[in-house]
Amino acid sequence: MHERFLPASPNWYCSRCCDISSGGLLGVGAKNFIYLIDVSASTCSPQGVLVGHRGLVSGVSFCQDVTQSHICASSSGDGVIIFWDTNTQTLLREHAAHQSAVSALHWSPLDKNLVVSGDEKGIVACHWYNTGDTASFFPEARSIVCLTCSPHNWSTVAVGYKDGLILLIDVSKKGEVTRRLRGHDDDIHSLAWSPLAGEDTLNWRAEAGDDNASNAVSAGEEKGCYLASGSKDQTVRIWSASTGKGVTTLKLPYLKRRGSAVDPTLKERLWLNIHWPKARPTQLVSSCFSGELLMWDLARTGKQKWILFGSSSEGQNHSRIVFNTAAFMLPDGRQLLVSTSLDREVKCWDLSELECLWTLPTLGGFVYSLSFSPVATGCLALGVGDSMIRVWNTLSAQNRYDARCFWQGVKSKVTALAWHPKREGTLSFGTEDGKVGIYEVFSSKPPQISSTYHKKTVYSLAWGPPLPPMSFGAAEGKASHSLYSCAGEGVILQHDPTKLSGDACDIDKLIRQTNNIKHKLSPHTDLSWKPDGKVVAIGNEDGCIDVYQAPSLKLLCSIQQHHKVINVLRWHPEDNAPAELHGLLASGSCNAIIYVHDLRQVIEKPPESPLVLTEPYRRLCGHTAKITGLAWSPHHSGRLASVSYDGTAQVWDVQQEAALSNYRGHASSLLSVDWSPVDPDVLWTGGKDFTVQEWRVSKQEFTKPPKGKKMVDLKEKAKQKKKSKKASEAACPAVNGEHVTEAAVGNGQEASDEPEQEEVRSASSPVPPPGEKGTFSPRVVPSSSTLAMQRKSTTGGKSKDQQVFADSSALKKKKSRSILPLSTSMDHRPKEDLLQDCLTLASMTHDTGVCACVCGDCVKSLLHVMCVYGGVDCFLALARQRLRQARASTSTLAKDI
């Protein structure tokens, strides 16, 4: 399904979280998924992902028998063992033999049906693949860290514990302990059996002072075998299985890195993994303090018995500690070793040359942002939640995964990225803690950080022309572009890229001055500059989109179509595109619908007064959850890609309002999308599954997103309500001459998969406020007449537009933030206007002839009531109560007369 991808980072601090089948398929446990990667060729190739675990994957092990080498077992923190068929990527069987987290797992290399697992409580369980039976043993009440099955005796299993104890148990005798190996002072991280049986390959004697009286040699076990163990105490020990005694101890060397030696007392971050290569009984691979891999020559005499991997050139070794290693034999006899590390890289090594063959970067967080450089072709920047920025050269011929990591000065989740439109290598970034900075990715300099921080997460960055006051002054020395950042507190800041140490300015001040706005502006959620820099679109929290003309930021129009927070805005590119498409603006919100607006006429002929647009140019329906990312194709005019919380990416033909292709390769919600700058058929997407995936539009099986379960249920309920509509209308009370019917799902309206996100009616909604009989159809109207139109109350009969009211009642409501829930922008009006609305509404609902004026005495009284009773909502209830009392007193007086 996908061409290339960056998987999630392998899980840390697990004894066997990766393994390789005899056919060269690597299985890596990352989060609660298992990623399958083909490592049999000169470079790695993704094959798929196994989805089914509910907890973090703690172990992966393949069956080494050729007849079923495609079967693997995996364990997780919820105590479940799962058997998989990697050919079909399906779950075969699930065992729940453990009550606590499984910490160790191994498939016996001798018995193709036996899988052994151990948990944190000390339970050892045997799982038989062919019969589905399970047997549990409790050899020691200690926490198990690792275990490994013997390649020479199917019933012998070595178990390593957290306090340094190693047990050899016989699973054919109900877990009977045959040997206790004592010598380590700390956690056992890894165990490995010698590939050859017998103890005559190395002429070792038991170490002096290592005497275990309990380890008597029984008949039939004299041949024995060597066992290697790696511990947190910084030593590797070789044990004799026949005597239960240690024969030699290898101490890790302190290698100098980055100009300083490793502190011998620092061992908290050490993880000592070992691997005994096949057919090499005198060689042992181990990890070291800072990510180095060592090849130990057990037959060599002298102090230095090790050789460093990747010593021929800098940068081959891991930069952080190594957790797991797994080996694979090529058909030509060469052995490859794959290692995973804390530095979030998977490396493949040639054990003959001790050189790194390839490196696969992995991701340790959500992919919040991805963007191709407009200058450096094929340079893809990734903003990831692991506090790092990746810059991937996707066009590299030598290395398909040529990526660099930038972490200096970041120190938080990278939530937004934006390349400079003209300068090569200039990349701006925003973080979760409100930081804004600029990296020069082709230099080794640390980033520049803006001295002005946002109070909340930075969600959007954009480069655009300077605005006052930064555009004032001499042209010399002034930057051609300013950097704009929008964050969670609803503020857009303008930064001077040549002087980030200076204060950034809030553009709301310029908006108020130019447009003579007195009320508080709605919080901003996104912004997008038109490619020519003449116009900027700003999305708001109330679902409104405002379009301003640069540099004065005069308001041209307000688009009131969305009912939820605006998440993303994108202008159609102007290069090689027809002139009639230059004014297209695509918008996505927490609604599942994408709206495309044609603003060409408004931009070319600016109106004297701002317009309100309530009807989109195109409406793209299909997603079943909120829209999180949009990208126009630089190759095809009018082609748009979108990603959503429904876990899919969709390609649209905007002109035809048609769905072209749907990608379902991700395992979670999507957050970012961009088109390949060189291949018109290729898209890149990233999301909450910690992956970035490259895929082709032409190779997708589906054309539309799948229907969510919630959407199917809502449509089923709508059908049932439609059947009983006539009966319900007869039973429903009438309000203002209209029957109140239950809300149904509107045509084309897709429901969100998040229950906390309910639809809110905005100013563009044709739903009239309570008490109004008339309605109006969506159209372009001057903003100055909008309020008057909203307040207008007609007394005539029903209009032909009355059907709009019925359809709009289908929208699900959230508690309104104003008396008349047409728009949250009405919340910012003077209190006198709000009080007038209260009295008008009350007098229309209860027509008793009560005066609805707002004179001085009335205002003082009403303000006093509001202070006492807690605001406008409480006052409305009080006003209705007073009106009911007045009507009751009038009725009583009439009876008396």
Side-chain angles (χ1 to χ4, degrees):
M1 292 179 67
H2 36 244
E3 303 296 310
R4 283 180 288 180
F5 84 146
L6 296 185
S9 298
N11 294 335
W12 297 342
Y13 301 102
C14 299
S15 61
R16 196 190 305 271
C17 210
C18 73
D19 196 16
I20 304 179
S21 70
S22 58
L25 185 65
L26 171 67
V28 180
K31 295 177 59 183
N32 55 333
F33 307 125
I34 301 170
Y35 291 94
L36 304 177
I37 305 170
D38 185 4
V39 298
S40 60
S42 58
T43 184
C44 57
S45 175
Q47 299 299 309
V49 59
L50 304 179
V51 181
H53 279 293
R54 292 173 291 278
L56 290 178
V57 175
S58 59
V60 177
S61 187
F62 278 91
C63 178
Q64 297 301 317
D65 189 271
V66 179
T67 60
Q68 55 185 40
S69 61
H70 60 287
I71 307 297
C72 79
S74 61
S75 60
S76 65
D78 58 3
V80 174
I81 308 296
I82 295 180
F83 291 91
W84 307 88
D85 185 337
T86 59
N87 287 342
T88 60
Q89 299 180 15
T90 56
L91 188 152
L92 299 177
R93 186 179 299 129
E94 183 174 324
H95 290 183
H98 296 276
Q99 300 298 320
S100 56
V102 180
S103 54
L105 178 78
H106 193 206
W107 199 309
S108 172
L110 283 183
D111 192 328
K112 67 178 183 179
N113 294 312
L114 175 61
V115 176
V116 183
S117 60
D119 64 26
E120 295 179 349
K121 298 296 184 182
I123 301 295
V124 176
C126 293
H127 312 268
W128 301 94
Y129 170 71
N130 57 338
T131 62
D133 296 335
T134 301
S136 298
F137 317 115
F138 192 47
E140 194 76 21
R142 305 168 190 257
S143 182
I144 296 175
V145 179
C146 59
L147 61 80
T148 181
C149 299
S150 171
H152 313 297
N153 185 348
W154 73 269
S155 62
T156 301
V157 178
V159 184
Y161 291 88
K162 201 166 187 178
D163 58 356
L165 176 66
I166 302 173
L167 295 184
L168 302 184
I169 64 174
D170 189 338
V171 297
S172 65
K173 299 179 180 180
K174 298 182 179 180
E176 176 184 337
V177 178
T178 59
R179 292 287 181 267
R180 293 179 180 270
L181 311 182
R182 295 187 177 93
H184 285 294
D185 300 325
D186 215 327
D187 301 358
I188 306 298
H189 288 162
S190 182
L191 295 169
W193 292 95
S194 171
L196 296 182
E199 300 178 357
D200 52 356
T201 56
L202 298 172
N203 295 321
W204 283 328
R205 295 181 180 180
E207 292 180 316
D210 190 359
D211 186 16
N212 291 321
S214 62
N215 292 329
V217 181
S218 61
E221 290 183 341
E222 296 181 357
K223 187 176 181 180
C225 181
Y226 288 124
L227 176 69
S229 61
S231 171
K232 192 177 179 179
D233 62 10
Q234 309 176 25
T235 64
V236 176
R237 288 178 178 262
I238 310 296
W239 307 85
S240 168
S242 61
T243 63
K245 297 180 179 180
V247 294
T248 189
T249 300
L250 308 173
K251 294 185 179 181
L252 295 184
Y254 303 115
L255 304 176
K256 291 185 178 181
R257 296 198 64 179
R258 303 188 185 99
S260 61
V262 177
D263 184 359
T265 62
L266 183 62
K267 60 180 181 178
E268 283 75 14
R269 297 299 294 271
L270 172 66
W271 188 273
L272 211 172
N273 178 267
I274 58 174
H275 171 74
W276 213 321
K278 291 183 178 180
R280 298 188 182 190
T282 61
Q283 292 183 336
L284 184 70
V285 178
S286 79
S287 61
C288 202
F289 291 100
S290 300
E292 303 92 351
L293 288 176
L294 305 177
M295 176 67 82
W296 295 87
D297 188 346
L298 303 180
R300 179 185 294 183
T301 58
K303 292 185 178 180
Q304 184 169 329
K305 298 182 178 181
W306 51 267
I307 302 174
L308 182 65
F309 277 60
S311 58
S312 62
S313 61
E314 290 291 332
Q316 290 195 52
N317 264 294
H318 289 285
S319 59
R320 310 285 290 277
I321 55 177
V322 174
F323 290 115
N324 299 123
T325 54
F328 166 66
M329 184 79 73
L330 292 174
D332 58 5
R334 290 188 303 154
Q335 284 195 57
L336 302 182
L337 183 74
V338 175
S339 57
T340 65
S341 167
L342 188 67
D343 62 7
R344 304 187 189 281
E345 289 184 340
V346 178
K347 290 181 177 288
C348 181
W349 305 85
D350 186 337
L351 285 183
S352 300
E353 304 293 335
L354 302 185
E355 298 293 327
C356 182
L357 300 179
W358 50 260
T359 300
L360 175 65
T362 63
L363 308 177
F366 294 173
V367 184
Y368 290 101
S369 178
L370 59 85
S371 176
F372 276 99
S373 170
V375 182
T377 305
C379 202
L380 177 63
L382 308 175
V384 189
D386 56 9
S387 304
M388 286 195 288
I389 300 170
R390 273 84 165 175
V391 178
W392 183 1
N393 181 11
T394 60
L395 302 182
S396 175
Q398 292 80 15
N399 183 5
R400 300 182 70 217
Y401 295 93
D402 181 13
R404 297 174 58 198
C405 293
F406 299 88
W407 54 269
Q408 285 182 311
V410 179
K411 300 179 182 179
S412 183
K413 297 177 182 179
V414 182
T415 53
L417 294 173
W419 289 97
H420 194 284
K422 301 296 182 182
R423 288 210 312 253
E424 184 177 9
T426 301
L427 177 66
S428 62
F429 66 91
T431 64
E432 186 186 41
D433 59 2
K435 184 187 305 176
V436 175
I438 298 177
Y439 250 116
E440 297 294 337
V441 299
F442 296 129
S443 71
S444 57
K445 297 180 181 179
Q448 303 177 59
I449 305 298
S450 175
S451 61
T452 306
Y453 277 58
H454 284 279
K455 296 179 181 178
K456 294 185 179 181
T457 302
V458 178
Y459 288 127
S460 179
L461 292 171
W463 293 89
L467 299 175
M470 289 189 180
S471 60
F472 294 153
E476 296 182 2
K478 292 289 183 181
S480 61
H481 291 79
S482 289
L483 177 61
Y484 298 87
S485 58
C486 181
E489 72 269 24
V491 174
I492 296 178
L493 297 180
Q494 179 184 190
H495 309 263
D496 186 350
T498 63
K499 193 179 179 181
L500 287 179
S501 58
D503 292 338
C505 58
D506 187 347
I507 69 169
D508 277 0
K509 183 177 180 181
L510 179 60
I511 293 175
R512 289 196 188 92
Q513 290 177 351
T514 302
N515 300 281
N516 194 25
I517 298 176
K518 303 299 182 182
H519 61 76
K520 181 182 177 181
L521 294 174
S522 178
H524 309 306
T525 56
D526 192 37
L527 81 157
S528 179
W529 280 93
K530 198 169 181 290
D532 58 10
K534 296 180 180 180
V535 170
V536 61
I538 297 178
N540 300 313
E541 191 179 75
D542 60 4
C544 178
I545 303 170
D546 296 323
V547 181
Y548 298 93
Q549 186 178 38
S552 63
L553 292 190
K554 177 186 176 183
L555 180 61
L556 298 180
C557 66
S558 291
I559 304 171
Q560 298 183 355
Q561 186 63 45
H562 290 281
H563 306 295
K564 291 186 179 180
V565 174
I566 301 297
N567 291 329
V568 58
L569 298 170
R570 288 294 181 269
W571 290 94
H572 193 287
E574 296 183 355
D575 297 338
N576 304 322
E580 58 268 19
L581 300 181
H582 288 184
L584 294 188
L585 174 67
S587 60
S589 72
C590 290
N591 296 100
I593 300 178
I594 301 167
Y595 294 109
V596 180
H597 318 275
D598 188 358
L599 306 177
R600 184 185 174 195
Q601 186 176 2
V602 176
I603 297 171
E604 292 179 352
K605 298 179 181 179
E608 294 182 1
S609 60
L611 302 180
V612 176
L613 308 181
T614 58
E615 186 68 20
Y617 171 69
R618 292 290 186 269
R619 181 184 286 106
L620 307 177
C621 304
H623 283 296
T624 57
K626 69 178 181 179
I627 309 300
T628 53
L630 297 171
W632 290 97
S633 171
H635 312 284
H636 303 281
S637 298
R639 184 164 294 187
L640 181 69
S642 62
V643 291
S644 167
Y645 257 39
D646 62 14
T648 69
Q650 182 66 45
V651 179
W652 308 88
D653 184 335
V654 173
Q655 296 290 80
Q656 303 298 325
E657 292 186 336
L660 301 179
S661 179
N662 183 256
Y663 179 66
R664 306 181 184 182
H666 287 270
S668 188
S669 303
L670 299 189
L671 301 174
S672 52
V673 61
D674 204 1
W675 290 83
S676 168
V678 295
D679 193 334
D681 194 40
V682 171
L683 275 159
W684 297 76
T685 50
K688 286 189 173 183
D689 59 355
F690 292 29
T691 68
V692 169
Q693 301 183 17
E694 175 192 27
W695 51 277
R696 292 190 173 274
V697 176
S698 59
K699 291 186 177 180
Q700 302 314 307
E701 178 183 357
F702 304 99
T703 58
K704 293 183 179 181
K707 293 183 179 180
K709 181 179 184 299
K710 184 175 181 180
M711 188 61 191
V712 174
D713 293 342
L714 288 174
K715 287 187 175 181
E716 187 64 27
K717 290 181 180 179
K719 291 181 180 179
Q720 296 176 359
K721 291 174 183 177
K722 192 174 181 181
K723 294 179 181 178
S724 59
K725 183 177 180 181
K726 295 182 179 180
S728 63
E729 286 181 351
C732 286
V735 177
N736 296 330
E738 300 278 81
H739 284 287
V740 179
T741 59
E742 296 183 43
V745 178
N747 294 332
Q749 186 70 28
E750 301 293 346
S752 169
D753 62 2
E754 295 188 338
E756 71 272 13
Q757 294 173 347
E758 300 294 336
E759 303 227 3
V760 183
R761 290 179 291 183
S762 71
S764 63
S765 174
V767 183
E772 290 187 6
K773 290 186 178 182
T775 61
F776 57 91
S777 59
R779 60 183 181 275
V780 178
V781 295
S783 60
S784 59
S785 64
T786 303
L787 185 58
M789 184 177 297
Q790 291 170 349
R791 292 185 179 181
K792 182 178 179 181
S793 177
T794 60
T795 57
K798 299 180 182 179
S799 68
K800 63 180 180 180
D801 294 327
Q802 197 68 33
Q803 183 61 34
V804 179
F805 178 82
D807 293 339
S808 300
S809 65
L811 297 176
K812 291 192 281 185
K813 302 177 185 177
K814 188 167 65 175
K815 183 178 180 181
S816 57
R817 292 181 289 176
S818 63
I819 296 301
L820 301 178
L822 285 178
S823 171
T824 56
S825 63
M826 300 180 69
D827 292 341
H828 311 301
R829 294 184 297 142
K831 291 183 178 179
E832 289 79 1
D833 291 351
L834 295 177
L835 295 174
Q836 178 67 58
D837 291 341
C838 291
L839 293 177
T840 302
L841 176 61
S843 61
M844 293 174 64
T845 307
H846 308 283
D847 189 8
T848 59
V850 178
C851 177
C853 69
V854 187
C855 57
D857 294 338
C858 292
V859 170
K860 291 180 182 179
S861 176
L862 293 175
L863 289 175
H864 173 71
V865 172
M866 287 177 61
C867 294
V868 173
Y869 291 96
V872 178
D873 291 333
C874 295
F875 166 71
L876 177 58
L878 180 63
R880 288 174 175 168
Q881 182 181 359
R882 297 285 175 83
L883 290 171
R884 284 195 297 269
Q885 292 174 355
R887 185 168 57 184
S889 61
T890 303
S891 176
T892 304
L893 181 61
K895 289 181 180 180
D896 293 340
I897 293 174

